[in-house]
């Protein structure tokens, strides 16, 4: 069976639309339809019910879903194992969000180098949603993300209890709203933030990447919510001050991996993640 067909099936299911799947896979809608049609002919069953609202799985499609995930996972594992470098027994693929590479993933790579010289490592940095997709598809073995949404077949293990705190370049008890920069920390933060600060629903500056927003207010002045670990060095030097009486919001860090993962090498990576996370507490 063509692995591309299984990937296409999973993308149509994830997006709920042939049009959206075509856009995500950089293909035409005709090509997507053709792949699904060939797949249905091979299985001799219809996989999707199509209507104006999108698509949904038929009973046969629901049965095929878990096999499609396994097909993609097995193919990715085979592709990686065949390409093993000399002196390595296996390979692990590790993903992480952009703002987590330093120090967490950097320290993990150093730990792997020292403790697991027999394991080749493939590190991949991406946004949280795509990392979760790649865990489900078997492209990644383990990923480190903030506040992961629940996904079927994916285990989320708490690594660090991170907090988002309000800081300002002005006085801690001064007026800080005028220079406020809204940082997009995800839907959970957005809901809590709106409940606490309904008057800050339309800020003059909004940024979807925390490190950029932090550099901006350090250079131009202002305030915003940032990870406590990122803000603390600047709090110690006095470049930033905590906003008085501002609530803190949870933004914890998790390791995510497939519930089917049983390989010994993945357990060793989890040990490493727990070790480097403990060093940050």
């Amino acid at each position: 069976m063509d692995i591309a067909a299984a990937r296409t099936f999973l993308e149509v299911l994830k997006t709920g639309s042939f049009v959206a799947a075509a856009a995500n896979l950089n293909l035409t809608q005709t090509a997507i339809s053709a792949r699904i049609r060939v797949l249905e002919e091979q299985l001799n069953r219809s996989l999707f019910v199509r209507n104006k609202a999108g698509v949904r799985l038929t009973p046969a499609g629901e049965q095929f879903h878990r096999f499609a995930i396994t097909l993609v996972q097995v193919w990715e594992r085979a592709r990686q194992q065949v390409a093993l470098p000399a002196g390595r027994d296996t390979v692990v693929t590790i993903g992480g969000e952009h703002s987590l590479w330093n120090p967490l993933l950097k320290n993990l790579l150093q730990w792997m180098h020292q403790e697991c010289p027999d394991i080749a490592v493939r590190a991949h940095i991406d946004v949280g949603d795509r990392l979760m997709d790649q865990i489900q598809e078997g492209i990644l073995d383990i990923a480190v993300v903030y506040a992961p949404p629940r996904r079927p077949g994916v285990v989320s293990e708490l690594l660090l209890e991170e907090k988002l705190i309000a800081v300002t370049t002005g006085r801690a008890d001064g007026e800080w709203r005028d220079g406020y920069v809204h940082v997009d920390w995800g839907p959970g933060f957005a809901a809590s933030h709106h409940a606490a600060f309904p008057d800050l629903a339309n800020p003059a500056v909004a940024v979807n990447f925390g490190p950029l927003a932090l550099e901006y207010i350090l250079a131009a002045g202002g305030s915003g919510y940032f990870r406590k670990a990122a803000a603390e060095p600047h709090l110690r030097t006095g470049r930033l001050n905590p906003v008085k009486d501002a609530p803190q919001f949870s933004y914890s860090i998790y390791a995510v991996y497939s519930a089917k993962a049983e390989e010994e090498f993945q357990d060793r990576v989890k040990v490493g993640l727990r070790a480097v996370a403990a060093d940050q507490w």
Side-chain angles (χ1 to χ4, degrees), residues 1-2 13 16 23 25 33 64 93 109 146 152 160 174 197 220 239:
M1 181 179 290
D2 187 354
L13 177 59
L25 294 175
S33 297
F64 180 67
T93 54
L109 290 178
Y146 285 111
L160 282 170
F197 304 107
R239 295 188 71 190

Side-chain angles (χ1 to χ4, degrees), residues 79-240:
R79 187 176 61 82
Q80 293 161 8
Q81 293 289 351
V82 168
L84 271 178
R88 298 295 194 272
D89 296 332
T90 190
V91 61
V92 62
T93 54
I94 303 170
E97 292 199 44
H98 292 85
S99 56
L100 284 173
W101 77 268
N102 187 17
L104 193 60
L105 292 183
K106 179 186 70 175
N107 292 344
L108 175 63
L109 290 178
Q110 293 173 346
W111 186 92
M112 293 289 296
H113 176 72
Q114 295 171 357
E115 303 295 332
C116 304
D118 56 320
I119 297 178
V121 178
R122 305 287 184 265
H124 179 68
I125 305 299
D126 210 330
V127 297
D129 285 345
R130 283 203 289 264
L131 293 172
M132 294 294 290
D133 291 343
Q134 290 162 7
I135 289 291
Q136 282 191 300
E137 293 170 7
I139 297 172
L140 291 176
D141 294 305
I142 298 176
V144 184
V145 299
Y146 285 111
R150 291 185 178 181
R151 295 277 189 99
V154 176
V155 176
S156 298
E157 177 182 328
L158 179 65
L159 288 178
L160 282 170
E161 288 277 10
E162 180 69 284
K163 295 290 184 181
L164 295 172
I165 63 172
V167 297
T168 178
T169 54
R171 299 196 327 270
D173 58 351
E175 177 52 50
W176 53 275
R177 284 173 169 79
D178 290 343
Y180 186 73
V181 175
H182 180 79
V183 185
D184 181 6
W185 295 109
F189 169 77
S192 299
H193 182 273
H194 180 72
F197 304 107
D199 58 318
L200 291 177
N202 189 29
V205 179
V207 182
N208 71 345
F209 187 51
L212 172 60
L214 182 58
E215 290 297 321
Y216 170 77
I217 71 163
L218 287 170
S223 60
Y225 267 90
F226 299 96
R227 293 186 302 115
K228 187 176 181 181
E232 277 182 338
H234 305 293
L235 293 171
R236 288 195 294 268
T237 63
R239 295 188 71 190
L240 293 176

Side-chain angles (χ1 to χ4, degrees), residues 3 70-84 91 138:
I3 297 299
T70 301
L71 281 167
V72 173
Q73 289 175 337
V74 170
W75 168 252
E76 288 298 327
R77 176 67 56 219
R79 187 176 61 82
Q80 293 161 8
Q81 293 289 351
V82 168
L84 271 178
V91 61

Side-chain angles (χ1 to χ4, degrees), residues 111 142 257 261-274:
W111 186 92
I142 298 176
Y257 46 88
E262 298 178 352
E263 291 88 343
E264 179 186 352
F265 75 89
Q266 287 181 305
D267 291 335
R268 293 165 68 187
V269 178
K270 294 173 198 173
V271 170
L273 272 173
R274 294 168 192 143

